[in-house]
Amino acid sequence: MAYGDKVIDHYEHPRNVGNFGTTQEVKKNPQIGVGLVGAPECGDVMQLQIRVDAETGLIDDARFKCFGCGSAIASSSLATEWLKGKTLDEGMAIKNTQIVEELSLPPVKIHCSVLAEDAIKSAIEDYKNKNGIQTTETKAASAH
Amino acid sequence: MIDQSTTRPTIYFDHAATTPCDPRVVEAMLPHFTDVFGNPGSRNHSFGWAAERAIDTARRQVADLLGADRKEIIFTSGATESNNLAIKGAAAMYQKAPAGSPSRGHIISCIIEHKAVLDPCQRLEKEGFDATFLHPGADGVITADMVQSAMRDDTILVTLMWANNEIGVINEIPDIGALCHDRGVVFHTDATQWVGKMPVNVKTDNIDLLSLSGHKIYGPKGVGALYVRRRRPRVRLVALQEGGGQERGYRSGTLNVTGIVGLGKACELFMNEMDDERERLYGLRKKLEATITSRLDNVQINGHPDKRLPHLTNISFGFVEGESLMMATKEIAMSSGSACTSASLEPSYVLKGLGIGDDLAHSSLRMSLGRWTTPEEVDYAADAIVEAVVKLRALSPLYDMYKEGIDITKIEWAAH
C-alpha cells in the first residue's frame, strides 16, 4: 500500500494517544464521551475519547487508541486533532470524506475514514447520553 | 507496496513469495539469450541441436533432484500451470463419465491449498466432478488417515501440497501417496515450497504428479516443471494447451530455453548444497522465533511446532494489526495474513482454516529466510519486530482491555 506523507507522519508521530482513565473510571466520568467502533475480526478497532468542558460546551481534549492498519491509526489521530476546541455539533459535522481528502487515502482505505467518523459520532453520542442531551439527529428524525 | 526508499538496508524475509536468481543460475542462462538461441524444435540444424542439448541437460538436472527419470519432466511456465495441467489433465483422463454428465469422479484436496490448486478443483466441481476439501487440525497437517476417510469408490485424484506456503507445515505425503497407490488413485502434490529445502524421491515418496516452480528456488520466474510418473503406475494426462506437440504433447509451445536452463542449474545447485543450507536456515529460523517469543507475551507460532519447513515461520502478535506492524518495520520485507495487505479485506484463509480467529489472522507475519540471510539480519529483524510490537501495543485499545482483564471476545463489536 503506497501511503501519503500525512498518513506516515500521523503513523510515526500519532497525536493524542491514550485515554482518560481505565474503562470503569471513564464510564463513571460525566465529562468524558467514549466511542469504541470496529471489531478485532475486521482488523480495525478505534477507541476515541472526548472530554467536554460543561461551561463552554467545547471539546477541550481528545484521546485515541487504535488497533488497525496505518490508515486507521492516522485517521483516528487526525480525528483527535480536529475535535479539540470544537462544539459537539461541529464535531458531529466532521465527514469521512474530509479525512480521506486530508490524508489522501486510497479507495481501499476509505473504510478507515468511515470508522473514524463513526468513532467521533459515537463518542459525542455517548457524552450526550451521559448528560441527558437530546441529539440533533434524533430531533431531525422526529421532525420528518 | 510500502515505500522502501530508505537509507537503511532492506532485509528480504519473503523467500516464500519469490527468491532472487542465484548468480550461477544467471551465468548459465546468459549464453542462451544470444549465442545459443536456437529453437530446440528445429531438428535440422546445429542451432536447434545446441538448444536441445541444453534442454536435455536441464531435464536431467531437474529429474535428478526429484529422483525421477528425465522423460518424466514436463517444462511449464510455473507451478500454477503445472497444477492446472496435473489436476485438470488427470481429471479429464481418468473421469468416470464424459463431459456434460454428472458424477464424473471424486477429487480430494484441502481447504488450505494454494489458490492454484483450489481454483482448478472448484472449476472441475462446476464441470461435473465432486470434490472434498479436507479440513486440517489446528496444527495444519493433513494426515493419511484424513485422506483415507475421505476416499470413495469413485475417487480418481488426490491433490495435496507437500508444504504450505503460508505456514510451512508439512503434510504426510509419502503415506498419502502409498494410500493412493493401494487404491489406484492418482496422486498429485504441489511441492512448490518443498523442493530445494527438503529431499524428494518421487519413487519412494509414492508421487504420481509433482509441481515445482523456478522462482522459489533461486531460478528465474516464468518457468516451472511437472513431474509425470511413467512407470508403476504410468500416469497420463489430457493436455490443456494444444499446438506443436512439445513436451510429449502435454504442453505445446516453444520451450522457454533460457528459463529452463536456469531452472536446471538451480536444481543442480541443490544437489550439493541443500543439506547444509537446510541446517543453516533451520538454525536461523529457530533463533528468530526464540528471540521474538522470549521477549513478547501473547505471541503464537502458527501451525505444527515441528512438522514444518526449515526457513519459514508464521507468527501472530496478539492485539497488533499485521499491516501496521509491517509499516513499523518497513526495512524488512515480509508478508502478512492481514486483510489490509490485500484488496479483498479478508484475512488469510489458511490461518482461518486452522481455526485461528480473524483477530489473530489479522495480526500475523510470515517470515521466510533464504540463501543469503545472515545471522545479523535475523538479530536486527527480531529487535525491530519486538520494538514495533511494543510501540503498537501502546496504541492498541485491545491490549489495554487485555491488561484490565476484559475478555475482548465477550464484547459486542459492531460488525463493520
Side-chain angles (χ1 to χ4, degrees):
Chain A
M1 209 52 59
Y3 279 119
D5 292 343
K6 284 186 179 158
V7 172
I8 291 172
D9 182 46
H10 275 281
Y11 172 79
E12 286 182 352
H13 311 285
R15 321 317 190 236
N16 311 307
V17 175
N19 48 48
F20 297 107
T22 64
T23 312
Q24 285 308 318
E25 286 165 4
V26 166
K27 200 173 267 180
K28 286 182 199 140
N29 187 342
Q31 266 196 297
I32 311 294
V34 181
L36 182 65
V37 298
E41 307 84 70
C42 305
D44 295 295
V45 174
M46 278 181 200
Q47 176 187 281
L48 186 66
Q49 301 187 349
I50 54 167
R51 193 176 68 196
V52 182
D53 182 331
E55 284 187 15
T56 61
L58 296 178
I59 298 166
D60 71 357
D61 203 356
R63 305 272 169 89
F64 87 96
K65 289 226 170 180
C66 178
F67 161 86
C69 63
S71 300
I73 291 170
S75 298
S76 32
S77 169
L78 179 66
T80 59
E81 276 198 324
W82 280 359
L83 282 170
K84 281 195 199 181
K86 283 202 165 54
T87 65
L88 298 179
D89 285 346
E90 285 167 348
M92 286 303 267
I94 295 173
K95 290 277 169 284
N96 81 293
T97 46
Q98 295 168 294
I99 296 170
V100 170
E101 198 175 330
E102 174 68 16
L103 296 175
S104 312
L105 295 181
V108 71
K109 295 297 183 186
I110 286 173
H111 71 279
C112 298
S113 70
V114 174
L115 207 57
E117 185 188 318
D118 288 354
I120 293 170
K121 291 201 159 58
S122 165
I124 294 174
E125 296 289 348
D126 183 56
Y127 174 80
K128 286 181 173 177
N129 287 338
K130 270 185 184 172
N131 293 277
I133 304 169
Q134 205 185 4
T135 68
T136 336
E137 269 182 31
T138 321
K139 274 187 222 158
S142 55
H144 284 287
Chain B
M1 286 293 111
I2 291 163
D3 183 17
Q4 298 283 347
S5 57
T6 161
T7 50
R8 286 173 291 188
T10 295
I11 296 177
Y12 189 76
F13 276 9
D14 207 11
H15 290 83
T18 193
T19 55
C21 267
D22 190 296
R24 294 168 290 181
V25 166
V26 178
E27 196 185 339
M29 290 168 69
L30 283 175
H32 296 275
F33 285 101
T34 49
D35 299 337
V36 195
F37 67 91
N39 186 333
S42 301
R43 297 285 159 84
N44 44 10
H45 55 65
S46 62
F47 294 87
W49 301 331
E52 194 179 18
R53 276 196 299 277
I55 295 293
D56 284 346
T57 301
R59 209 182 292 280
R60 180 179 47 72
Q61 289 165 326
V62 176
D64 286 350
L65 186 63
L66 303 181
D69 184 276
R70 72 178 80 178
K71 287 179 187 158
E72 297 176 310
I73 304 300
I74 305 297
F75 290 115
T76 66
S77 63
T80 293
E81 186 190 338
S82 296
N83 288 339
N84 272 271
L85 175 57
I87 294 167
K88 294 176 185 167
M93 179 58 71
Y94 298 100
Q95 63 185 4
K96 301 279 186 195
S101 42
S103 308
R104 294 175 69 194
H106 176 236
I107 296 160
I108 297 172
S109 188
C110 165
I111 57 166
I112 63 167
E113 290 290 313
H114 193 276
K115 291 285 185 191
V117 165
L118 290 176
D119 285 0
C121 288
Q122 280 159 2
R123 160 73 60 185
L124 290 171
E125 274 189 299
K126 290 194 190 92
E127 294 177 355
F129 293 88
D130 290 340
T132 298
F133 296 96
L134 298 170
H135 289 249
D139 60 10
V141 178
I142 295 293
T143 65
D145 285 346
M146 294 178 187
V147 178
Q148 167 96 50
S149 37
M151 282 280 190
R152 305 192 330 202
D153 289 343
D154 64 341
T155 303
I156 54 170
L157 173 69
V158 172
T159 172
L160 292 165
M161 63 197 346
W162 206 329
N164 185 275
N165 52 303
E166 285 192 33
I167 52 176
V169 167
I170 296 166
N171 289 327
E172 295 180 355
I173 291 303
D175 292 345
I176 295 167
L179 173 69
C180 291
H181 282 176
D182 284 347
R183 302 187 56 127
V185 172
V186 174
F187 179 47
H188 166 247
T189 187
D190 174 358
T192 305
Q193 299 290 346
W194 174 274
V195 169
K197 279 91 192 175
M198 308 293 274
V200 182
N201 185 311
V202 284
K203 292 188 181 71
T204 54
D205 292 329
N206 309 311
I207 293 160
D208 295 330
L209 298 161
L210 178 146
S211 304
L212 66 90
S213 169
H215 76 100
K216 308 285 194 195
I217 56 172
Y218 308 96
K221 294 172 181 61
V223 65
L226 178 66
Y227 158 79
V228 184
R229 182 183 276 265
R230 274 169 67 92
R231 296 187 63 217
R232 286 185 290 172
R234 179 184 178 87
V235 173
R236 293 159 68 215
L237 302 171
V238 173
L240 305 180
Q241 179 164 306
E242 292 161 323
Q246 288 89 345
E247 299 300 272
R248 294 162 51 217
Y250 283 143
R251 206 275 187 178
S252 286
T254 295
L255 293 172
N256 168 9
V257 180
T258 46
I260 290 166
V261 167
L263 174 63
K265 185 67 184 180
C267 287
E268 186 195 59
L269 295 176
F270 286 116
M271 295 299 285
N272 297 321
E273 299 172 14
M274 185 168 66
D275 292 344
D276 289 345
E277 191 161 288
R278 178 172 58 244
E279 288 308 311
R280 197 181 72 83
L281 289 172
Y282 177 75
L284 291 176
R285 191 258 290 173
K286 291 301 269 186
K287 187 176 184 211
L288 179 65
E289 289 177 342
T291 310
I292 290 172
T293 54
S294 67
R295 286 166 56 189
L296 291 171
D297 57 72
N298 286 280
V299 169
Q300 73 176 38
I301 297 170
N302 296 314
H304 195 283
D306 306 314
K307 291 179 183 172
R308 51 199 301 127
L309 292 175
H311 70 303
L312 189 154
T313 187
N314 188 308
I315 306 181
S316 287
F317 301 86
F319 319 113
V320 171
E321 197 277 329
E323 195 216 42
S324 60
L325 187 49
M326 290 207 293
M327 204 170 156
T329 51
K330 60 179 178 289
E331 69 276 27
I332 310 163
M334 304 176 275
S335 65
S336 171
S338 160
C340 286
T341 59
S342 70
S344 71
L345 298 181
E346 278 294 313
S348 158
Y349 69 92
V350 172
L351 297 179
K352 288 174 74 175
L354 268 60
I356 292 169
D358 281 7
D359 53 336
L360 283 177
H362 280 293
S363 304
S364 71
L365 286 184
R366 178 187 74 177
M367 289 168 270
S368 42
L369 315 181
R371 186 166 285 170
W372 294 283
T373 303
T374 64
E376 291 74 26
E377 285 179 324
V378 168
D379 290 341
Y380 179 92
D383 287 347
I385 289 165
V386 169
E387 196 182 308
V389 170
V390 169
K391 176 192 159 174
L392 290 167
R393 281 183 176 170
L395 273 180
S396 172
L398 303 178
Y399 195 55
D400 282 347
M401 291 175 194
Y402 162 74
K403 284 187 299 184
E404 284 184 34
I406 298 168
D407 184 351
I408 62 167
T409 61
K410 298 272 158 57
I411 294 176
E412 275 186 43
W413 299 102
H416 202 67

